[in-house]
Amino acid sequence: MRAPGWSVGLDIGGTKVLGVLLDDVATVRGSVRVPTRRGTEGVVAAAAEVVEQLCADARMAVDDLAGVGAGVPGLVDPATGAVSHAVNLGIDDRGVALAPLLSARLGGVPVAVENDLNVAAVGAARVLGLRGDLALLGLGTGVAAGLLLGGGLRRGHGGGAGEIGHVPLDPAGPRCPCGQCGCLELYASGSALDAAWPSPPGVPAAAAVFGAAALGDPAAVRVRDRFAGAVAAAVRLLVLTCDVEHVVLGGGVAEVGQPLVTAVREQLERQAAGSPFLRSLAIAGRVTVVPAGVPVAPVGAALTAREAAPPPVGAAWR
């Protein structure tokens, strides 16, 4: 017998699968994390392991769940649950039927698959209590945004809405793996910080550079400000194209927390100093950050699983 509203959400990333069990009022009742296994079969096996462990810990059967939601990096067809170009997961094929495969592995429980930043946007809106249009700006290996506009996800014609990391920031800059030059993610991603500020093993580059900058290291201050300026350009792009009320910084770099928000806001103020138009938009005040340790992506994935498939564009999430 299924528990109304109880669902599991999965954040399937390149290094880990993080799952949460949500009850009918969206309270997290359990959390499990396992290493990612690459390839279609490996991803399905790791995802199923997390679901089964969450249910075992809660002393419920898997088929008691109303559904399972999964956020994955890559292009997703939410209607079919097919995933393409999830290269960080070792899924290079087009249209791997991840949702049906995982559903079959779990005995037929409904599974909804969505882009990872889309579910993170849904989760951020719910967990942080934010209403109105929202962009979740993911600052990780790359840069992209999940968009909640008009109460629903904006996926775009081909699922590419929010892929702002491949908007050129400097056309004369270095070549991006996408084939263009000077793409935004070459300057505003966690990978960019890794390259600009090598850190000791086990210490994230973002934490190292922001920590050194706070202590007054001139080189670290330059790296921090250059990075924050690129993130500010991404924020400005999201506001000027979608006029979102909230831009929530997420991803690995966001673990820095408030110092990141402060640095980005300072850069936005500097960039708006010569423009009455930009000043009128008050962009800096729209920026916030996912609190450290808050699992917005799996929570958002669990919310999408309350129906057998994600709701259509324009449907309310709350």
Side-chain angles (χ1 to χ4, degrees):
M1 179 177 178
R2 284 181 179 156
W6 283 63
S7 55
V8 166
L10 304 171
D11 178 19
I12 303 177
T15 60
K16 59 87 175 66
V17 178
L18 174 63
V20 299
L21 175 66
L22 235 59
D23 67 15
D24 56 346
V25 292
T27 299
V28 175
R29 294 301 190 97
S31 176
V32 169
R33 175 180 178 136
V34 303
T36 298
R37 301 171 207 166
R38 291 177 59 80
T40 301
E41 177 56 31
V43 168
V44 171
E49 177 186 342
V50 170
V51 175
E52 290 162 355
Q53 187 61 55
L54 283 166
C55 290
D57 291 346
R59 298 184 179 180
M60 61 189 296
V62 171
D63 60 8
D64 287 337
L65 295 170
V68 172
V72 300
L75 296 180
V76 177
D77 182 345
T80 65
V83 177
S84 303
H85 304 299
V87 293
N88 289 340
L89 304 180
I91 299 177
D92 300 321
D93 299 329
R94 293 187 61 85
V96 171
L98 190 59
L101 288 170
L102 181 55
S103 178
R105 186 70 169 259
L106 295 172
V109 172
V111 173
V113 176
E114 182 58 82
N115 174 268
D116 57 348
L117 288 176
N118 286 350
V119 296
V122 172
R126 181 60 178 260
V127 171
L128 303 181
L130 300 176
R131 298 185 178 275
D133 291 347
L134 175 149
L136 188 290
L137 179 58
L139 306 172
T141 303
V143 174
L147 300 171
L148 272 175
L149 305 177
L153 285 170
R154 181 61 53 85
R155 301 181 181 91
H157 172 68
E163 291 291 343
I164 63 170
H166 294 295
V167 173
L169 180 65
D170 178 8
R175 192 169 185 83
C176 178
C178 80
Q180 300 183 98
C181 292
C183 287
L184 186 58
E185 74 171 35
L186 297 177
Y187 305 93
S189 63
S191 299
L193 274 183
D194 289 341
W197 195 265
S199 58
V203 179
V209 71
F210 273 81
L215 295 175
D217 184 320
V221 169
R222 287 193 296 272
V223 171
R224 180 200 64 191
D225 290 351
R226 184 166 61 246
F227 175 78
V231 175
V235 172
R236 190 172 68 246
L237 178 60
L238 289 167
V239 172
L240 291 176
T241 53
C242 301
D243 196 22
V244 289
E245 183 177 353
H246 310 283
V247 180
V248 184
L249 306 180
V253 177
E255 294 290 324
V256 169
Q258 197 57 41
L260 173 64
V261 175
T262 299
V264 172
R265 286 177 175 172
E266 288 175 353
Q267 291 297 316
L268 285 165
E269 297 285 7
R270 184 186 64 78
Q271 293 167 5
S275 171
F277 168 65
L278 286 179
R279 289 200 303 274
S280 73
L281 295 176
I283 298 175
R286 307 187 192 200
V287 180
T288 186
V289 67
V290 173
V294 176
V296 292
V299 167
L303 292 173
T304 70
R306 294 191 173 190
E307 299 178 12
V313 172
W317 287 101
R318 295 181 292 278

